[in-house]
């Protein structure tokens, strides 16, 4: 393993070991508390522009495989782990995590105190950083960081959205056959791709919806024409990376769909864009919610669901002027789910498709299907 140097915008500099790609990358550092699913996290397009610090100390134990990819590639800037295991042991393993990172040009950072980094982020908040296997001088790294755009200034959706429309052809993963089931669908929807995850698509099709994934550049007029022609019954607004406030074109598009009363369902970034498009701007959390163990209360049923989360931005409390709150985060009482009053629209901040889990919120896909 080669040396890798890390410099943070609070002035801290650290040294560690590299197990991924070589080079220099700048991004925002966050921490993730998931115990499993590192491959799904690395290949989640919502992490574009970010370094992910894993609080789980042992990473790499089960390797990686093609079935567990959440997208066609990896999108984060890098991952930071306490201990990397380069000799995985699992019958589904096809390659090591290091091999995946090198192929996708993602930095892998290990032999570093991730507990210290997590506490720092909890105290000071998510921040920008630079990591390099090439530059080890603090002043040079500081210059690279200062001259690089912040995550709030970059439209990462342009990098992660599909270029061509396609129909998704898989449903849920079947643990008896170790294959994805074939969909059985009765409704048709369009999924606007802001960085969509494979298992969101699997859950939509499992709930009986044929999903055509379209580029984020598809216009509202094209979508409305398909609705009018009975070619689709509703629109899904996907998860995705970055600050939703800079996505002006997407906001204008969604406003037109809302005005047309198109049935809409949003997850994560889609949830945030629906709020902004109704006139309620999002705000940035101190260090965000990232992990597979966040308790969320369903205000309709009173039950508590353990959820997967991955977001730094949140909808404001005064959105209750136009929507009913359906889910609340029990860590900090932030809004996790909404049903809008005057349009067939619902959205959640957490990830009900969670893979490898938990799966307690997957019923939400069925609720959208009932709206169509």
């Amino acid at each position: 393993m080669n040396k890798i140097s890390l410099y943070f915008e609070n002035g801290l500099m650290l040294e560690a070991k590299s197990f991924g790609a070589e080079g220099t990358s700048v991004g925002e550092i966050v921490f993730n508390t998931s115990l499993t699913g590192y491959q799904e996290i690395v290949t989640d397009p919502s992490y574009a522009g970010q370094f992910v610090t894993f609080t789980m100390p042992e990473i790499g134990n089960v390797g990686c495989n093609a079935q567990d990819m959440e997208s066609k590639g990896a999108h984060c800037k890098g991952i930071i782990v306490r201990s990397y295991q380069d000799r995985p042991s699992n019958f589904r393993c096809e390659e090591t995590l290091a091999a995946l990172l090198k192929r996708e040009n993602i930095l892998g950072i290990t032999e570093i105190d991730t507990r210290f980094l997590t506490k720092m982020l909890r105290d000071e908040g998510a921040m920008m950083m630079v990591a390099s296997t090439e530059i080890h001088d603090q002043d040079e790294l500081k210059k690279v960081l200062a001259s690089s755009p912040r995550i709030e200034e970059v439209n990462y959706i342009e990098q992660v959205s599909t270029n061509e429309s396609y129909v998704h052809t898989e449903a849920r993963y079947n643990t008896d056959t170790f294959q994805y089931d074939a969909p059985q669908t009765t409704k048709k929807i369009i999924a606007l791709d802001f960085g969509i995850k494979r298992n969101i698509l699997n859950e939509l099709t499992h709930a009986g919806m044929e999903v055509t994934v379209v580029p984020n550049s598809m216009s509202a007029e094209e979508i409305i024409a398909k609705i009018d022609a009975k070619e689709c019954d509703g629109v899904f607004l996907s998860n995705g990376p970055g600050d939703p406030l800079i996505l002006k074109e997407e906001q204008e598009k969604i406003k037109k769909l809302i005005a047309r009363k198109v049935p809409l369902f949003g997850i994560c970034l889609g949830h945030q864009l629906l709020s902004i498009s109704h006139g309620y701007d999002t705000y940035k959390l101190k260090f965000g919610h990232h992990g597979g163990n966040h308790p969320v209360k369903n205000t309709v049923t009173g039950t508590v669901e353990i959820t997967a989360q991955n977001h730094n931005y949140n909808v404001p409390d005064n959105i209750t002027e136009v929507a009913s709150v359906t889910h609340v985060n029990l860590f900090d009482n932030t809004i996790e789910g909404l049903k809008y009053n005057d349009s067939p629209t619902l959205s959640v901040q957490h990830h009900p498709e969670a893979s490898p889990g938990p799966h307690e919120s997957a019923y939400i896909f069925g609720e959208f299907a009932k709206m169509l």
Side-chain angles (χ1 to χ4, degrees):
M1 292 183 182
N2 296 326
K3 182 172 83 169
I4 187 165
S5 296
L6 289 70
Y7 180 80
F8 303 83
E9 68 173 309
N10 65 355
L12 175 70
M13 182 163 174
L14 298 172
E15 282 188 5
K17 297 294 184 181
S18 168
F19 69 93
E22 303 289 309
T24 303
S25 285
V26 176
E28 180 182 55
I29 177 174
V30 298
F31 65 87
N32 186 299
T33 58
S34 294
L35 299 180
T36 58
Y38 58 78
Q39 183 182 347
E40 288 88 341
I41 292 165
V42 169
T43 58
D44 179 353
S46 293
Y47 280 110
Q50 293 180 319
F51 286 88
V52 183
T53 302
F54 287 90
T55 61
M56 177 66 181
E58 296 288 335
I59 297 293
N61 304 55
V62 295
C64 298
N65 66 80
Q67 287 185 327
D68 290 347
M69 297 287 287
E70 283 287 6
S71 61
K72 291 181 179 179
H75 304 278
C76 58
K77 291 287 187 173
I79 64 171
I80 304 172
V81 307
R82 176 65 188 91
S83 178
Y84 169 65
Q85 175 54 257
D86 201 45
R87 294 189 298 167
S89 177
N90 187 275
F91 73 100
R92 296 176 69 233
C93 175
E94 296 171 357
E95 65 178 344
T96 64
L97 175 58
L100 187 153
L101 294 179
K102 289 172 182 175
R103 186 175 68 251
E104 297 294 333
N105 199 31
I106 306 295
L107 295 181
I109 301 163
T110 187
E111 296 188 22
I112 192 168
D113 190 344
T114 50
R115 289 181 299 178
F116 167 78
L117 289 177
T118 300
K119 290 175 182 177
M120 180 181 78
L121 296 174
R122 284 176 176 162
D123 291 341
E124 301 182 39
M127 64 183 73
M128 297 296 291
M129 64 165 282
V130 56
S132 178
T133 59
E134 308 161 320
I135 306 169
H136 303 289
D137 179 75
Q138 181 167 330
D139 290 336
E140 284 299 310
L141 289 170
K142 187 176 181 179
K143 288 178 185 177
V144 171
L145 184 58
S147 62
S148 301
R150 299 185 63 83
I151 192 168
E152 297 90 353
E153 300 168 350
V154 182
N155 184 349
Y156 283 104
I157 289 177
E158 295 174 349
Q159 300 178 23
V160 299
S161 180
T162 183
N163 294 321
E164 301 289 338
S165 298
Y166 64 92
V167 176
H168 187 66
T169 58
E170 296 174 334
R172 274 186 185 169
Y173 189 74
N174 188 320
T175 54
D176 292 327
T177 63
F178 296 107
Q179 298 293 330
Y180 288 95
D181 288 335
Q184 304 292 322
T185 59
T186 57
K187 306 286 180 66
K188 293 184 178 183
I189 64 167
I190 282 175
L192 268 172
D193 183 8
F194 305 136
I196 202 162
K197 293 170 65 180
R198 179 183 191 176
N199 278 290
I200 286 179
L201 296 172
N202 293 342
E203 289 294 335
L204 288 167
T205 56
H206 177 80
M209 293 169 275
E210 180 185 290
V211 187
T212 301
V213 184
V214 303
N216 70 301
S217 58
M218 179 174 279
S219 70
E221 288 74 19
E222 289 179 85
I223 295 171
I224 290 170
K226 291 180 182 295
I227 294 279
D228 290 342
K230 308 295 184 185
E231 293 178 18
C232 76
D233 305 299
V235 175
F236 173 72
L237 306 174
S238 86
N239 62 295
D243 187 344
L245 287 174
I246 71 171
L247 305 176
K248 303 301 182 183
E249 291 183 12
E250 284 76 11
Q251 294 164 26
E252 291 305 312
K253 184 183 308 182
I254 293 168
K255 286 177 184 177
K256 293 176 182 177
L257 298 178
I258 292 169
R260 181 61 175 72
K261 304 276 188 195
V262 173
L264 299 171
F265 174 36
I267 288 178
C268 204
L269 180 66
H271 166 79
Q272 297 159 13
L273 286 171
L274 280 167
S275 175
I276 298 167
S277 301
H278 278 88
Y280 295 84
D281 284 357
T282 51
Y283 65 96
K284 190 168 187 177
L285 297 166
K286 185 176 181 180
F287 47 77
H289 299 156
H290 311 275
N293 45 15
H294 290 238
V296 167
K297 183 175 182 179
N298 183 320
T299 62
V300 179
T301 65
T303 57
V304 175
E305 303 160 14
I306 303 303
T307 68
Q309 307 253 346
N310 175 23
H311 63 105
N312 273 359
Y313 301 90
N314 219 80
V315 303
D317 290 344
N318 65 340
I319 194 150
T320 53
E321 295 170 359
V322 296
S324 300
V325 176
T326 59
H327 298 80
V328 176
N329 189 299
L330 294 183
F331 279 156
D332 57 9
N333 292 316
T334 52
I335 294 171
E336 287 280 351
L338 294 167
K339 192 172 191 309
Y340 286 84
N341 299 336
D342 298 325
S343 59
T345 301
L346 60 89
S347 64
V348 289
Q349 182 60 74
H350 52 280
H351 282 269
E353 84 291 344
S355 180
H359 300 139
E360 295 167 27
S361 297
Y363 65 87
I364 293 169
F365 294 96
E367 291 189 0
F368 178 50
K370 292 175 186 174
M371 284 173 43
L372 301 177

